[in-house]
Amino acid sequence: MKYNKYLIFFLLVQFLSHAQTSDTALDLVQYVNTLQGTNSKHELTKGNTYPTTALPFGMNTWSPQTGNNGDGWKYQYFKETIRGFQQAHQCSSWSNDYAVFSLMPVTGALELNEDKRAAKFSHANEIAKPHYYKVQFENNITTEMSPTERGVHMRFAFPENKSSFLVLDGYTGMCGVTIDVINHRITGFVQNGKGFDQVKELKNYFVIQFDKPFKAQGTWENRKGEKWANKLAAEGKGIGAYLQFNDGETVQAKIASSYISYDQAQLNLNRELGKFKKLEDTKEAARKVWNKQLSKVVVEGGTDEQMKTFYSCFFRASLFSRKFYEEKADGSPIYFSPYDVKVHDGYMYTDTGFWDTFRAQFPLNALLSPEMHGRYVGALVDAYDQMGWLPSWSFPAEAGSMIGNHGISLLTDAWAKGFRTFDPKKALKAYYHEATNKGPQGPSNGRHGWKEYFTLGYVPYPEYGEATAKTLEYAYDDFCGYELARMTDNQFYQDVFSRQMYNYKNVYNTKDGFMEGRNKNGDWKTNFDPYEWGGPFTEGNAWHYLWSVFHDPQGLINLIGGEDKFVQKLDAVFSSPNIVNVGTYGGKIHEMTEMEVSNMGQYAHGNQPIQHMIYLYNYAGQPWKAQYQVREVMEKLYNSTENGYPGDEDQGQTSSWYVLSALGFYSVCPGTDQYVLGSPVFAKTTINLENGKKFVIEAKNNNKGNVYIQSATLNGKKYTTNYLKYSDLTNGGVFEMEMNNTPNKTRGISADDRPFSLTKK
């Protein structure tokens, strides 16, 4: 009997210990550092990020502000003062922000000016997690934030017996505020940032509910610094408000906003924050949401730093694209369209540029967040209905930045993976319109040089800037148009796009062995230098754009002269001198410096065009070189610190590259259902799919030295193929690999083992 008691006690202790360990293991937010990549500046970016406090794909994000109002560099790690806590929507420092307002606690004398009110802080007194941000200033004011999808819960703790002011700054454009003294509330709107250049009607309505009464209040404007004591309402450029509370007060502020109306903003506040009395309640709810998102991928068997890097990247990859829809009282979706400035039922998303994100961020979403992804591609076609174009860079309306027409990549990729949330005939009609017109908003709204591209088979240079890069990306997009037409039995569009999808061949110069610029007469650009940036290329050189044939690697292999020469050229990317010819840029841009700092030859991972290139070894019979190089990049160029990225993070793309690559595969050609194999970082990875199934990746003997796949099985059967299908992953199962420190040069080398290519041999 005594033995049984001891046994029961022992089992209970073991159970509780296991439960605690399991709970700790699933508290994945502990590994995330939202300061990753924030030590950035114009000359050299280490991510170009800000410490985002938000929920996954949330409509609003929140950030401390070290930069001036209107400066896209909203938070830089090396700065010593904070001047506000912002609602933010920024994709990149280069694109700036929109719909911004900020709050800043002040003690001592009331200071309204953003420079004078700025307070010193130390990173030692800063906590930066997805669900919670906290900082204590040197003046002993403490600010805390925890997010909801369309709002935030803030708390400002002022030092004992010290004056307690709060400044609301309306940022750079039109804004209005109304102070409700009786109900301890401020309502207002802002209209600022680049997104409002195209959408004059768009307003960001906000409601701020305080839990303490005001001792004094007034309004002000931030251009000349005028202030009006006890004036409870004002409207104009740079309008803001200020409040005074009792000395030494601790004040909570619940904030929510809407693009539809004040009433909707209040509804958002009530729904998302109404049940949370204390910030700790909101913080815990946000922690659970993030742990649910992050636990979609549970990794084991890596170092602590690898865990931190993985989950910090996964966090950043889970922010884009942002929800632009809200919910009615009955919970159904509704949104103000930035495209036709009308209110619609349904879903809408924004704040991303497809030139960056079609490559990995959307293929990652398709795998880990399929419900949202299905809504996204459906909303993409709705956007076409509303403005007559497929978006290419939404911020929040169509900005048309960068090059290519990659909306079709998202649509085709979704269809290839089984998503049926849009009309493919309408999608093809929309893409045909993109491919045969030039829109008013930037290079990728329609096509620069579309007539010449159709008649000559390429975009001529110097008649058009970035012409060779455009030719290459148009050819890939035309493949996507062809492929969607083929999968949906649309012969008309198959005939149209099949003529152009091989156009990449027309800008390959056999003499030099590179893609090059050529003029309308067919002459190649003179004085060719593969190290020269710009001109016919976009933020890169000929070394980077040679590989932009996502859909036909075998065709590229044939152009270059066969597998041996192709592999030699891939090798040469890493062995070539790490030099830069600034070309038409006239001076160094940060991407050039980042390539030099990375010190991997001409491999410029800090920018998107070459990020898939390592995986091309799989197409030429030497997959072990992909396995080696991908692990080198992850080990050398990524970490979890403020210096965590090798260049701009770019709306989740560079993070998604890491997340997919750490799983052991990558989306070389979106528009197909394949993820091409590399080398996984962790000994075991469990992908917890939305459909309730699990896909487990086991890499036995995996460590920093054992990067080579010796053998593999999929669900117990020998597996030599160098890719996994989307259905392999989503059906669940076990993918098991034996890893070693020497390559197996006999595995995965047959023609049948190679990933998709239009040209078969």
Side-chain angles (χ1 to χ4, degrees), residues 497-529:
F497 297 122
S498 63
R499 300 167 191 160
Q500 282 75 240
M501 60 187 179
Y502 295 101
N503 275 357
Y504 69 88
K505 297 180 180 181
N506 298 328
V507 289
Y508 181 78
N509 188 340
T510 305
K511 180 175 73 71
D512 298 322
F514 286 96
M515 304 292 179
E516 298 179 27
R518 63 191 309 188
N519 66 22
K520 62 182 179 182
N521 296 321
D523 300 323
W524 297 105
K525 180 180 177 295
T526 57
N527 302 316
F528 171 71
D529 178 1

Side-chain angles (χ1 to χ4, degrees), residues 543-568:
W543 278 108
H544 309 148
Y545 277 91
L546 175 59
W547 317 105
S548 293
V549 187
F550 315 97
H551 57 297
D552 197 17
Q554 184 61 50
L556 181 60
I557 289 170
N558 295 344
L559 277 182
I560 290 176
E563 290 180 4
D564 290 343
K565 289 185 177 180
F566 183 79
V567 169
Q568 290 170 15

Side-chain angles (χ1 to χ4, degrees), residues 385-428:
D385 285 336
Q386 293 160 21
M387 71 166 171
W389 303 90
L390 288 171
S392 61
W393 190 290
S394 49
F395 188 64
E398 168 65 346
S401 303
M402 302 307 292
I403 64 171
N405 308 110
H406 300 311
I408 191 62
S409 172
L410 273 63
L411 292 162
T412 303
D413 189 65
W415 199 269
K417 291 168 179 171
F419 293 85
R420 298 293 183 266
T421 54
F422 64 92
D423 178 355
K425 188 174 182 180
K426 183 183 287 187
L428 287 164

Side-chain angles (χ1 to χ4, degrees), residues 411-479:
L411 292 162
T412 303
D413 189 65
W415 199 269
K417 291 168 179 171
F419 293 85
R420 298 293 183 266
T421 54
F422 64 92
D423 178 355
K425 188 174 182 180
K426 183 183 287 187
L428 287 164
K429 178 183 177 183
Y431 176 62
Y432 180 76
H433 178 67
E434 295 280 306
T436 56
N437 287 279
K438 176 65 197 77
Q441 301 292 347
S444 60
N445 181 217
R447 280 184 174 173
H448 275 154
W450 68 270
K451 290 182 181 178
E452 292 87 345
Y453 174 78
F454 273 99
T455 56
L456 298 174
Y458 60 92
V459 181
Y461 179 82
E463 289 84 354
Y464 294 90
E466 307 173 304
T468 302
K470 289 173 180 173
T471 300
L472 294 168
E473 299 203 20
Y474 294 170
Y476 161 70
D477 290 333
D478 285 346
F479 157 74

Side-chain angles (χ1 to χ4, degrees), residues 10 19 39 70 75 100 129 147 200 218 280 307 340 375 383 394-395 436 485 494 500 504 524 550-551 582 650 671 751:
F10 173 78
N39 194 27
Y75 181 100
V100 183
K129 295 294 180 183
K200 306 294 185 186
E280 284 76 13
M307 296 278 284
D340 68 359
R375 292 171 177 172
S394 49
F395 188 64
T436 56
Q494 285 186 67
Q500 282 75 240
Y504 69 88
W524 297 105
F550 315 97
H551 57 297
V582 299
D650 283 330

